[in-house]
């Protein structure tokens, strides 16, 4: 100590109590520091005793206390040079999201199982939650996306209801990077909702999906937001008279997409058939591509990879997605591909009634084989299995059973029955 001040770079405390996701994220940010705007300078840090590789420690930096993860090949007592921020500001929006993704070539998006929704067969619809992992299934979980919506809208208007999705770091959900705004059906407005005809053919604005991407945290109700800054919009084109009307398509526009003269800067296209029981055996691949052709990514709806995931797919509407970013060059394109996977789930993989359900009108078990996209509509390809009506017939009335004595021989049969009754009385 000199003059009562703590020297820069000396260990302050061990941060082993940090959230595991925060430790993993700090490891990723040390390799890819684009997640923050940094005015930095090199600082000498002495590695303390009894600290292992990968453990996160806190040090005194010029801009305040900072955290670093002990890199590979460093021993206790060794002095290393670490670039520390003088004044760091966490970015929001697409740049902040791209910084968290870093140089990862693969992402995986896992939708969490909501217990009440699973136990009630979807009758009690809950808000969706997604986890984003770097480098695939076993990578660190760094981002969380949480839906914010009205209970009445979810129960009465699902899955076309209005909602917000807040995308934030796993260890700090208050630090919202992106807000997705969906203007859909609302219970209080009924037919006067912004998108009152979503399930039908996409022939007008009220029949097409529209997801607005806001920078930072926006609160309130869709169409009446507080805060947030629209930076892009994902829209479903009107395909009722299009030549490729059987190909699901989403288009990206800058800002709020209200300027019709601006062409889309990117799009997502997918297969005609997907979902239903087919998702147990076959993957569904959607392709993200920029208008210039410089960026492309693959968004794949995954099949179950274990017995637990098989049960999850059969009993719930929770899904898993793998995103291949190996052909994506710009950081913003990576962020757009990730946001596109969340939009695809809400549009195409939340609307079915499960793999099978009971139809009361026809008294049949209905098995959904797949969903077919046709000019904006999702038409289910179903198999109906009729169920028996009422109680099963008694054995004497069954097909092939011998006739009863009452009906076997008219008067002779009746006399035989009376004679048997007299013998019983005797």
């Amino acid at each position: 100590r000199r003059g009562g001040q703590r020297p820069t770079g000396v260990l302050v405390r061990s941060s082993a109590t940090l959230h595991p996701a925060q430790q993993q994220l700090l490891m990723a940010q040390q390799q890819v520091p684009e997640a923050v705007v940094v005015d930095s300078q090199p600082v000498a840090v002495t590695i303390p005793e009894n600290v292992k590789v990968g453990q996160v420690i806190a040090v005194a930096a010029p801009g305040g206390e900072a955290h670093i993860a002990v890199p590979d090949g460093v021993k206790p007592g060794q002095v290393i040079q670490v670039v520390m921020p003088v004044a760091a500001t966490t970015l929001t929006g697409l740049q902040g999201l791209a910084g968290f993704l870093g140089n990862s070539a693969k992402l995986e998006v896992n939708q969490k199982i909501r217990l009440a929704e699973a136990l009630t067969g979807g009758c009690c619809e809950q808000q969706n939650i997604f986890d984003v992992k770097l480098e695939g299934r076993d990578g660190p979980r760094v981002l969380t996306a949480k839906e914010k919506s009205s209970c009445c809208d979810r129960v009465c208007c699902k899955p076309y209801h209005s909602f917000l999705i807040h995308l934030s770091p796993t260890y700090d959900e208050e630090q919202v990077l992106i807000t997705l705004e969906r203007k859909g059906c609302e219970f209080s407005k009924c037919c006067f909702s912004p998108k009152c005809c979503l399930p039908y053919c996409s022939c007008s604005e009220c029949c097409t999906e529209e997801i607005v991407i806001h920078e930072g945290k926006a609160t309130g109700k869709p169409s009446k937001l507080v805060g947030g800054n629209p930076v892009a919009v994902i829209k479903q084109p009107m395909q009722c008279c299009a030549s490729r009307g059987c190909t699901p398509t989403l288009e990206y526009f800058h800002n709020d997409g209200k300027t019709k003269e601006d062409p889309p800067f990117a799009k997502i296209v997918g297969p005609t058939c997907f979902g239903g029981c087919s998702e147990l055996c076959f993957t569904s691949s959607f392709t993200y591509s920029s208008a210039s052709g410089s960026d492309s990514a693959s968004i794949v709806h995954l099949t179950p990879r274990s017995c637990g995931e098989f049960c999850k797919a059969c009993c719930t509407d929770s899904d898993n997605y793998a995103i291949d970013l190996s052909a994506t060059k710009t950081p913003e394109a990576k962020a757009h591909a990730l946001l596109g996977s969340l939009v695809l789930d809400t549009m195409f993989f939340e609307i079915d009634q499960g793999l099978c359900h009971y139809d009361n009108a026809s008294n049949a078990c209905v098995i959904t084989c797949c969903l077919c996209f046709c000019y904006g509509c999702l038409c289910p390809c179903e198999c109906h299995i009729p169920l028996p009506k009422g109680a099963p017939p008694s054995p004497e009335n069954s097909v092939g059973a011998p006739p009863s004595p009452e009906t076997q021989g008219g008067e002779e049969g009746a006399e035989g029955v009376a004679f048997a009754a007299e013998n019983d009385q005797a």
Side-chain angles (χ1 to χ4, degrees):
R1 295 178 178 270
R2 295 183 180 179
Q5 297 181 355
R6 180 184 295 125
T8 300
V10 177
L11 174 70
V12 176
R13 60 179 173 83
S14 174
S15 298
T17 57
L18 290 178
H19 192 281
Q22 187 176 8
Q23 298 182 11
Q24 295 169 340
L25 181 58
L26 288 170
M27 291 284 290
Q29 287 183 347
Q30 281 182 224
Q31 300 174 2
V32 186
E34 293 91 352
V36 291
V37 176
V38 179
D39 181 12
S40 58
Q41 69 181 36
V43 174
V45 177
T46 302
I47 304 301
E49 300 291 338
N50 302 323
V51 173
K52 299 180 181 180
V53 173
Q55 183 175 351
V56 180
I57 60 175
V59 298
E65 185 177 294
H67 298 86
I68 68 168
V70 178
D72 294 333
V74 177
K75 299 180 180 179
Q78 184 176 346
V79 179
I80 60 174
Q81 295 288 329
V82 180
V83 177
M84 288 292 183
V86 175
T89 303
T90 303
L91 289 175
T92 59
L94 296 175
Q95 292 182 350
L97 178 57
F100 277 92
L101 300 181
N103 293 329
S104 298
K106 295 181 180 180
L107 302 175
E108 181 158 330
V109 180
N110 304 128
Q111 185 178 3
K112 285 189 175 183
I113 298 177
R114 306 311 305 273
L115 184 59
E117 183 176 340
L119 294 178
T120 58
C123 295
C124 180
E125 186 74 16
Q126 292 185 279
Q127 300 177 104
N128 292 321
I129 300 177
F130 303 87
D131 289 331
V132 181
K133 297 179 180 179
L134 302 179
E135 302 301 338
R137 182 180 183 180
D138 299 325
R141 183 168 57 95
V142 296
L143 295 169
T144 299
K146 285 191 173 184
E147 175 187 338
K148 304 293 182 181
S149 58
S150 168
C151 180
C152 292
D153 292 346
R154 287 196 311 273
V155 174
C156 301
C157 305
K158 66 175 183 179
Y160 309 104
H161 59 282
S162 299
F163 61 73
L164 301 177
I165 292 182
H166 290 158
L167 187 62
S168 59
T170 303
Y171 66 88
D172 186 6
E173 296 180 0
E174 295 299 323
Q175 182 187 329
V176 178
L177 304 173
I178 290 290
T179 299
L180 297 180
E181 176 195 11
R182 183 200 199 184
K183 304 173 184 177
C185 298
E186 297 180 10
F187 175 73
S188 60
K189 297 181 180 180
C190 192
C191 297
F192 299 97
S193 300
K195 300 287 184 177
C196 58
C197 302
L198 279 182
Y200 305 105
C201 182
S202 56
C203 56
S204 64
E205 289 292 335
C206 64
C207 305
T208 57
E209 288 277 6
E210 180 177 329
I211 308 290
V212 182
I213 303 174
H214 293 269
E215 183 181 57
K217 185 176 183 178
T219 58
K221 293 184 177 181
S223 304
K224 297 181 180 179
L225 294 183
V226 178
N229 177 33
V231 294
V233 62
I234 304 175
K235 300 181 68 174
Q236 179 185 8
M238 289 185 284
Q239 297 179 278
C240 59
C241 300
S243 58
R244 301 186 64 183
C246 294
T247 302
T249 305
L250 297 177
E251 296 178 338
Y252 289 74
F253 295 88
H254 289 294
N255 297 328
D256 55 0
K258 294 182 179 180
T259 305
K260 297 183 179 181
E261 291 77 11
D262 293 340
F265 65 86
K267 66 179 181 178
I268 293 178
V269 296
T272 301
C273 300
F274 48 83
C277 291
S278 66
E279 66 185 29
L280 298 177
C281 305
F282 305 100
T283 60
S284 301
S285 181
F286 296 79
T287 303
Y288 169 91
S289 59
S290 60
S292 60
S294 58
D295 295 295
S296 64
S298 175
I299 305 172
V300 180
H301 182 274
L302 298 174
T303 57
R305 296 163 292 186
S306 63
C307 182
E309 290 189 359
F310 182 85
C311 295
K312 170 184 173 182
C314 293
C315 302
T316 70
D317 59 0
S318 299
D319 302 289
N320 299 319
Y321 301 88
I323 306 175
D324 186 1
L325 303 173
S326 56
T328 306
K329 298 180 181 179
T330 59
E332 289 77 9
K334 293 183 177 183
H336 283 304
L338 171 60
L339 298 177
S341 66
L342 302 178
V343 176
L344 289 175
D345 182 81
T346 59
M347 286 184 56
F348 300 134
F349 293 97
E350 292 284 327
I351 69 157
D352 56 358
Q353 301 183 39
L355 303 185
C356 64
H357 65 278
Y358 172 73
D359 185 14
N360 188 34
S362 60
N363 189 36
C365 177
V366 182
I367 299 177
T368 304
C369 301
C370 65
L371 300 174
C372 298
F373 184 86
C374 182
Y375 297 98
C377 298
L378 283 178
C379 305
C381 179
E382 299 175 338
C383 177
H384 289 246
I385 302 177
L387 299 176
K389 295 183 179 180
S394 58
E396 62 271 14
N397 295 329
S398 301
V399 178
S404 61
E406 293 84 350
T407 60
Q408 184 174 7
E411 294 180 357
E412 296 179 357
E415 293 176 357
V417 172
F419 179 75
E422 292 177 358
N423 289 339
D424 291 340
Q425 293 178 359

